[in-house]
């Protein structure tokens, strides 16, 4: 499912910023992938780059969660849960 800005969110944003936000969401959307392994258990995660990096960076994941939280709360929740699921005991 493609994440889009709702009309409610667009109300107080100028056209230039709407275009910028939609382009940013497109980048995040293109870097989403679903991971089925012991750490992520099918969560949809956002990678820093699908082509060159297959995994997450914890500090990026927190920023991704904040960035998508107003547009896709399930995706934001997956980022935070994946962040904590991947922490190694050592």
């Amino acid at each position: 499912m493609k994440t889009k800005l709702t009309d409610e969110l667009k109300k107080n944003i100028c056209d230039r910023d709407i275009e910028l936000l939609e382009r940013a969401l497109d980048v995040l959307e293109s870097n989403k992938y679903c991971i089925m392994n012991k750490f992520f258990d099918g969560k949809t995660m956002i990678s820093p780059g699908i082509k060159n990096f297959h995994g997450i960076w914890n500090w990026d994941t927190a920023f991704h969660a904040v960035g998508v939280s107003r547009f896709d709360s399930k995706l934001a929740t997956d980022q935070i849960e994946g962040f904590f699921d991947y922490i190694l005991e050592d």
Side-chain angles (χ1 to χ4, degrees), residues 5-22:
L5 295 173
T6 64
D7 289 337
E8 182 68 27
L9 289 171
K10 290 180 182 180
K11 268 187 195 178
N12 298 315
I13 303 173
C14 70
D15 290 340
R16 182 200 66 188
D17 290 346
I18 289 171
E19 182 181 340
L20 181 62
L21 283 169
E22 287 180 340

Side-chain angles (χ1 to χ4, degrees), residues 34-53:
C34 185
I35 304 171
M36 289 300 295
N37 65 27
K38 67 179 182 175
F39 295 113
F40 300 110
D41 193 28
K43 291 176 180 65
T44 299
M45 301 300 294
I46 299 172
S47 175
I50 289 295
K51 292 180 184 175
N52 300 318
F53 186 82

Side-chain angles (χ1 to χ4, degrees), residues 3-85:
T3 304
K4 283 292 181 192
L5 295 173
T6 64
D7 289 337
E8 182 68 27
L9 289 171
K10 290 180 182 180
K11 268 187 195 178
N12 298 315
I13 303 173
C14 70
D15 290 340
R16 182 200 66 188
D17 290 346
I18 289 171
E19 182 181 340
L20 181 62
L21 283 169
E22 287 180 340
R23 286 176 37 209
L25 285 172
D26 286 344
V27 169
L28 291 172
E29 187 78 26
S30 67
N31 287 344
K32 283 186 352 184
Y33 64 105
C34 185
I35 304 171
M36 289 300 295
N37 65 27
K38 67 179 182 175
F39 295 113
F40 300 110
D41 193 28
K43 291 176 180 65
T44 299
M45 301 300 294
I46 299 172
S47 175
I50 289 295
K51 292 180 184 175
N52 300 318
F53 186 82
H54 299 283
I56 66 167
W57 289 0
N58 286 341
W59 53 274
D60 278 354
T61 302
F63 288 117
H64 295 153
V66 170
V68 300
S69 64
R70 293 191 66 185
F71 314 107
D72 189 336
S73 60
K74 169 74 171 90
L75 181 58
T77 300
D78 278 358
Q79 302 314 291
I80 297 300
E81 288 178 355
F83 175 87
F84 286 111
D85 290 349

